[in-house]
Each structure stands twice: as structure tokens, then as C-alpha cells.
């Protein structure tokens, strides 16, 4: 059995961060979301992974390499444009061959892994198995309709009037039967080959399409809100570990991880939180659900419920929360006079100012 990981896509909901970085490499709890996906795949015993990459392919290759750091063998499959999940299966045909495979979206997070789901598929081996989760707003997802035995009887992509609250999680299990389906369908109204159309084709052809419902936590990390939520959840599950330098004037409370090479001086850190290697925190407050990456500088500032990427700095800032700050950003207190806001803002940015 092989795996197909989708790591293309523009990540428009995470702009401007994704203007300069692949969305799958934005870190939560100081680790790229894609790494959690690859670790989950390795836990299933699958070793051969095809990685679908687009414009951010070079950055993905640099971060993942040949996959050996995860115990995997990674083959990169370029996709000229994000033309749909079924298109990804289509262009991966040579890599997949006649093997069963797991398809996993590289920006999805599932707690507890997927090993049980994969083992169940290997044992029963239906033509396809969809992984589902109950959601409060099914109109934002692909939605499955099931019969009394749990077999899939129909699919709808982002329906206005959903027939169920069972959304398709970004994990799919297929036998080679899916290859005929992806060749048979046509692009949707948005110009993509939809995997929901391919699976619907399989349903109408009388094939055995089953479902497995997730009992654990799942998030599509395509938005800032979802990134922050996954970050919070992961930090809450970490153990307290102080490996950096903390002076006697500082107070560390709760599940706080201070990585080797980090320095904390005259500061208060309330967990869950993580301070990355090489980061220096002085005379500051770091509140719960905050991840600060490597080589940052935080001085005389307050941060909470936020993600700060590598090399960024804060100087005399009150108060930052529920924020995602990109790499090598600098945030500082503006002069008191004249009263004005001075901004350098990239495309698609969101700025909230209280005057």
C-alpha cells in the first residue's frame, strides 16, 4: 500500500503568509503541519509516499527531503496547477501503479493518527473508504449520505441543503478501481476534477464504497482561526520541559516548553506555550496557547493565543493576541506624536486598528 500526499494549492485563506511560504509548512506548536501528516502515515506502516507539489515545490522538497527523517521514501509529483483532488490521482497513476493507496491532504490535522482506519481498510478492502466527521456547518464541505450499513449512497460538494452532517475529512482510501473513475469524470463548474465526482461515479457504478467516522479531533488548517485552534490543542497535550536558560526573576507556569538555546529573562510565561531554540524573551508576558518559533526576539511585550514564526521580533507592544505573525517580521510601538498609523502591508492582509 502506498500514500499520496497533496501539498500543492495556493493557500489563499492564509495570505499574506502563503505569498512566501507553503501553507503545509506553516508551523503549529513549532512543527509544520505537513510533518504531522507524514508521521501519521509512517505509523501505519506505509513507506512509499507520492508528494503532489505545485509552485511551492522547492520549499516542500527542502523541508521534507527524501522522507528518510520520517522513515519514508518520498517521490515528488509536480502538478502544473491546483486542478482538483481527482486530477492529483490522475497524474500520480505511474507512481501508484496497481497498489491500494491512502490519499491525505497535507494541510489537515487528525489527532490520534489514522492507523486503525488503514488497518480496517486493509482487512476489508472495499473499492473505496471515505473518512467522515460530523460538523456543525456541512455547507462548507463535501458531504456524504449513508445507508443503514454505513455504505456511501451519495456525495455532494458544499451543498446548500445538506442531506447529512457528515463531512469528508481530507483522508481517503482507494483500491485501483478509482483510476477508471477519475478518467471518466469531467471538470466541475470551478474547473477542477473533483474527488467527490469520482467517488459518486463509483457509487453509481455499483462499487463498494464504505465510510469510517472519526471519533477524534480533526481540522482543515486552511484558515488562521483553524491554525490557532490546532496550535492550542497541541500545546495543551505537551509536557512541561525547561531546556533553555531561565533566570530567577522569571516565572514559568503550567505546560511550558522552553527549547534548548532559548533564553528567558525577567518574564512571565503561562502555558501551554512553547519558546523555540535561539529565541530571547525579556521583560515580557507570554500567555496561553502561544507558539514562538526559533530565533525570535520578544522585549517588553505581551503575546497570547498566537503563532510567531521564525526570526520575528516584538518591541514594547501591548497587547497581541489571536494573531499569526510571519517570518522575520518586526512589530514595534509607534511614536506617540504625531498620532498616525504607519503601515507596510502586503496583498490580502488583514489589519485591525483601535484608534
Amino acid at each position: 500500500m502506498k500514500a499520496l500526499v497533496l501539498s500543492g494549492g495556493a493557500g489563499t485563506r492564509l495570505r499574506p503568509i502563503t505569498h512566501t511560504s507553503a501553507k503545509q509548512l506553516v508551523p503549529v506548536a513549532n512543527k509544520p503541519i505537513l510533518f504531522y501528516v507524514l508521521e501519521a502515515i509512517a505509523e501505519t506502516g506505509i513507506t512509499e509516499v507520492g508528494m503532489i507539489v505545485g509552485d511551492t515545490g522547492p520549499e516542500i522538497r527542502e523541508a521534507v527531503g527524501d522522507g528518510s527523517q520520517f522513515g519514508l521514501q518520498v517521490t515528488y509529483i509536480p502538478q502544473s496547477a491546483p486542478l482538483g483532488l481527482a486530477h492529483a490521482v490522475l497524474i500520480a497513476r505511474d507512481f501508484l501503479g496497481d497498489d491500494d493507496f491512502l490519499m491525505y491532504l497535507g494541510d489537515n490535522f487528525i489527532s490520534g493518527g489514522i492507523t486503525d482506519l488503514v488497518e480496517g481498510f486493509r482487512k476489508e478492502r472495499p473499492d473505496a473508504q471515505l473518512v467522515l466527521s460530523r460538523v456543525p456547518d456541512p455547507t462548507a464541505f463535501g458531504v456524504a449520505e449513508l445507508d443503514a450499513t454505513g455504505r456511501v449512497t451519495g456525495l455532494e460538494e458544499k451543498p446548500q441543503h445538506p442531506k447529512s452532517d457528515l463531512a469528508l475529512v481530507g483522508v481517503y482510501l482507494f483500491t485501483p478501481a478509482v483510476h477508471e473513475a477519475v478518467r471518466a469524470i469531467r471538470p466541475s463548474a470551478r474547473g477542477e476534477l473533483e474527488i467527490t465526482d469520482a467517488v459518486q461515479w463509483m457509487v453509481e457504478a455499483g462499487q463498494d464504497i464504505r465510510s469510517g467516522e472519526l471519533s477524534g479531533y480533526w481540522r482543515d488548517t486552511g484558515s488562521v482561526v483553524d491554525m490557532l485552534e490546532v496550535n492550542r490543542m497541541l500545546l495543551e497535550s505537551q509536557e512541561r520541559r525547561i531546556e533553555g536558560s531561565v533566570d530567577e526573576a522569571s516565572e514559568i507556569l503550567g505546560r511550558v516548553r522552553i527549547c534548548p538555546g532559548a533564553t528567558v529573562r525577567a518574564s512571565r510565561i503561562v502555558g501551554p506555550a512553547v519558546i523555540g531554540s535561539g529565541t530571547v524573551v525579556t521583560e515580557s508576558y507570554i500567555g496561553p496557547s502561544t507558539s514562538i518559533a526559533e530565533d525570535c526576539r520578544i522585549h517588553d511585550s505581551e503575546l497570547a493565543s498566537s503563532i510567531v514564526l521564525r526570526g520575528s521580533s516584538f518591541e514594547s507592544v501591548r497587547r497581541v493576541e489571536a494573531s499569526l505573525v510571519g517570518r522575520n517580521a518586526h512589530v514595534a510601538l509607534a511614536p506617540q506624536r504625531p498620532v498616525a498609523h504607519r503601515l507596510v502591508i502586503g496583498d490580502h492582509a488583514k489589519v485591525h486598528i483601535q484608534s
Side-chain angles (χ1 to χ4, degrees):
M1 191 170 181
K2 295 175 180 175
L4 189 64
V5 177
L6 277 64
S7 297
T12 54
R13 290 181 292 162
L14 284 173
R15 287 176 177 168
I17 300 293
T18 49
H19 280 306
T20 54
S21 179
K23 65 177 179 176
Q24 298 83 5
L25 295 181
V26 176
V28 285
N30 281 9
K31 184 163 67 176
I33 194 71
L34 178 60
F35 286 15
Y36 294 100
V37 170
L38 295 174
E39 289 168 355
I41 290 171
E43 288 172 1
T44 70
I46 295 172
T47 58
E48 294 183 73
V49 176
M51 185 86 69
I52 302 292
V53 293
D55 292 342
T56 59
E59 188 180 9
I60 298 286
R61 288 172 185 262
E62 182 179 357
V64 175
D66 63 2
S68 58
Q69 61 180 305
F70 307 98
L72 302 171
Q73 302 169 17
V74 174
T75 299
Y76 292 94
I77 304 169
Q79 187 179 35
S80 59
L83 298 174
L85 305 189
H87 180 262
V89 175
L90 195 65
I91 64 173
R93 183 68 175 91
D94 289 343
F95 166 78
L96 295 169
D98 291 325
D99 293 312
D100 295 350
F101 67 97
L102 160 74
M103 185 166 74
Y104 202 138
L105 273 61
D107 59 354
N108 274 226
F109 177 82
I110 297 173
S111 66
I114 55 171
T115 300
D116 290 345
L117 292 165
V118 172
E119 288 180 352
F121 175 79
R122 281 171 162 153
K123 182 180 179 180
E124 301 293 334
R125 205 166 176 266
D127 294 303
Q129 181 171 318
L130 308 181
V131 181
L132 307 175
S133 181
R134 295 189 184 276
V135 296
D137 180 18
T139 61
F141 302 94
V143 176
E145 187 177 3
L146 311 180
D147 66 15
T149 67
R151 282 179 167 79
V152 178
T153 59
L155 293 173
E156 295 180 282
E157 184 66 32
K158 298 180 180 179
Q160 290 186 350
H161 305 288
K163 296 179 181 179
S164 82
D165 62 351
L166 291 169
L168 279 79
V169 174
V171 176
Y172 307 79
L173 295 147
F174 292 113
T175 66
V178 73
H179 295 301
E180 182 181 5
V182 298
R183 290 194 304 268
I185 63 172
R186 294 291 177 264
S188 65
R190 60 178 183 170
E192 297 186 7
L193 290 175
E194 311 284 359
I195 199 66
T196 48
D197 290 345
V199 176
Q200 182 64 39
W201 186 94
M202 297 172 76
V203 169
E204 293 172 0
Q207 296 182 14
D208 184 7
I209 313 300
R210 301 186 193 177
S211 64
E213 186 175 342
L214 277 181
S215 58
Y217 180 93
W218 160 69
R219 279 291 184 279
D220 170 359
T221 60
S223 72
V224 173
V225 170
D226 289 325
M227 291 288 296
L228 294 174
E229 172 62 17
V230 172
N231 187 66
R232 179 197 62 78
M233 190 279 298
L234 284 168
L235 290 177
E236 287 181 348
S237 65
Q238 75 177 1
E239 297 297 326
R240 178 185 172 98
R241 193 162 71 244
I242 311 299
E243 298 176 294
S245 174
V246 180
D247 70 357
E248 294 182 355
S250 295
E251 185 179 18
I252 311 297
L253 300 175
R255 294 174 182 254
V256 175
R257 179 161 52 99
I258 299 179
C259 297
T263 301
V264 179
R265 297 286 180 264
S267 297
R268 188 169 191 258
I269 301 179
V270 179
V274 58
I275 310 298
S277 300
T279 287
V280 178
V281 180
T282 55
E283 301 176 23
S284 295
Y285 168 78
I286 307 299
S289 304
T290 301
S291 294
I292 300 178
E294 304 82 10
D295 301 321
C296 294
R297 296 293 181 269
I298 313 296
H299 175 69
D300 188 29
S301 297
E302 298 179 8
L303 287 81
S305 302
S306 295
I307 299 173
V308 179
L309 274 58
R310 185 181 67 247
S312 292
S313 63
F314 285 76
E315 180 72 33
S316 302
V317 178
R318 304 279 188 277
R319 162 173 172 149
V320 174
E321 61 182 24
S323 298
L324 174 60
V325 180
R327 295 174 296 186
N328 301 309
H330 179 62
V331 183
L333 183 66
Q336 295 299 310
R337 294 289 185 270
V339 178
H341 301 293
R342 184 180 180 183
L343 307 172
V344 178
I345 300 174
D347 297 347
H348 305 282
K350 294 181 180 179
V351 177
H352 299 270
I353 295 174
Q354 184 175 15
S355 299

